[in-house]
Structure formats: C-alpha cells, structure tokens
C-alpha cells in the first residue's frame, strides 16, 4: 500500500511540477502533461478500490469456517476450604487449622461433522478470492505498464511542454 501510494504520488507530483503557465498558443505539451496526471489519478483511484475489497475475504471466509470449525470450551472450577478446630485437652486449649484448595479444569471439543457442501463452500471462497486477487495483481501491472508507456512516449513533451525554446508564439 505504502509503496503504491509513494510511487503514484511521486509521479503525480513530478507531472504537476512540469506544467508551465498556460499562455495563448503552443499549449499542446501542457495538454499531454495534464493527460498524464489524469491517467495517474485514475490509476490510483482504481488501485484504492481494489485494495478496499480485500478485507471482505476475511469476513466471508471467517463466517463460512465458523460454521464447520469445532468448538472448544474450557471450564475451570476452583474451591478453597478452611477449617478451624478448637478442643481442650487436659485443661489446655488446642487449636488446629486446616486449609485446602483444589482446582479442576475441563476442556471439551464439540462439533458435528461438517457436511461436504460446507467444506466445498470454504474451498470455493478461497478459489474465488485467489482468482480475484490474481486479476487485481494483473490489473496493477497493466496500470503501471500503461502509465509508464504513456510517460515514455511523451517524455519530450512532458519535460519541455512549450518546446525547447519554451516561449509562446514566435514568428522566427
């Protein structure tokens, strides 16, 4: 995400800095620079939309898997007991204190057998999202190739939108 934003933003900034003041006549190169900037902006918007859909995979798969995943429950029981015993023996008071603690933990795993359709549903979601992400990566590659191709083919007009002399209209 950061690399994509940095690269596209860097190209957009460079293109904006290449735009000279628009004057009467000889503005064809300026139009090329503006078209390249628009192309970058459109590509960035499309990439952001592709990226925004990725969390849906985890939501859909999590819901499908929850239906077939075994459920584990753990219950812990702790108890403490204290007993004080006082008795008199031969005229003296004797005190005895007894303490005891116990704990037990029980883990249960429950879950019925998942139906083949439920398992197939999870697999189908994985395959569907794999293909979506593959297509998204292909689209990213295509967008970068199109932007680079446009920039390369119009490099002279982008670097010098008003031509080598840089002026407006000239009779000589």
């Amino acid at each position: 995400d950061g690399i994509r934003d940095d690269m596209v933003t860097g190209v957009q900034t460079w293109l904006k800095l290449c735009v000279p003041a628009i004057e009467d006549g000889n503005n064809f190169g300026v139009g090329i620079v503006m078209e390249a900037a628009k192309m970058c902006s459109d590509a960035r918007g499309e990439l952001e939309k592709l990226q925004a859909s990725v969390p849906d995979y985890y939501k859909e798969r999590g819901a499908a898997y929850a239906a077939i995943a075994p459920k584990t429950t753990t219950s812990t029981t702790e108890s403490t007991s204290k007993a004080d015993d006082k008795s008199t023996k031969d005229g003296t008071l004797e005190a005895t204190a007894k303490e005891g603690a116990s704990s037990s933990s029980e883990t249960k795993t429950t879950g019925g057998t998942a139906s083949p359709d439920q398992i197939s549903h999870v697999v189908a979601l994985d395959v569907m999202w794999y293909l979506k992400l593959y297509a998204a990566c292909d689209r990213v590659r295509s967008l970068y190739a199109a932007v680079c191709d446009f920039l390369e083919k119009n490099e002279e007009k982008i670097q010098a939108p008003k031509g080598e002399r840089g002026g407006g209209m000239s009779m000589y």
Side-chain angles (χ1 to χ4, degrees):
D1 178 39
I3 293 171
R4 171 192 47 83
D5 284 344
D6 290 346
M7 289 172 42
V8 174
T9 301
V11 171
Q12 282 180 304
T13 302
W14 174 69
L15 288 169
K16 287 177 185 175
L17 293 173
C18 288
V19 177
I22 297 177
E23 301 169 355
D24 290 337
N26 198 18
N27 288 321
F28 178 70
V30 176
I32 296 290
V33 174
M34 300 302 281
E35 180 63 28
K38 182 181 181 318
M39 188 178 221
C40 286
S41 178
D42 293 347
R44 183 177 182 172
E46 188 172 342
L47 294 174
E48 287 172 352
K49 285 179 187 173
L50 289 172
Q51 187 178 4
S53 70
V54 172
D56 292 340
Y57 164 72
Y58 296 104
K59 185 172 112 179
E60 290 175 18
R61 190 177 198 282
Y65 185 74
I68 63 172
K71 282 47 168 189
T72 302
T73 56
T74 303
S75 62
T76 303
T77 306
E78 294 183 17
S79 62
T80 306
S81 62
K82 290 184 180 182
D84 291 330
D85 188 23
K86 294 181 183 179
S87 61
T88 307
K89 197 177 206 183
D90 296 328
T92 53
L93 181 64
E94 290 183 1
T96 344
K98 296 179 184 177
E99 289 186 30
S102 68
S103 69
S104 67
S105 180
E106 181 181 1
T107 303
K108 291 182 182 178
T109 302
T110 59
T113 306
S115 74
D117 287 341
Q118 289 173 314
I119 294 170
S120 294
H121 178 65
V122 172
V123 171
L125 281 173
D126 287 343
V127 170
M128 177 190 74
W129 276 97
Y130 171 80
L131 294 173
K132 277 185 179 182
L133 292 174
Y134 186 87
C137 288
D138 189 51
R139 184 64 187 143
V140 168
R141 181 185 53 81
S142 296
L143 287 171
Y144 278 128
V147 169
C148 288
D149 181 59
F150 187 86
L151 294 175
E152 188 176 288
K153 287 178 180 174
N154 295 290
E155 183 177 5
E156 290 177 16
K157 288 180 183 69
I158 291 171
Q159 289 180 349
K162 295 281 190 172
E164 288 299 318
R165 290 181 285 200
M169 293 175 45
S170 174
M171 292 192 60
Y172 304 102

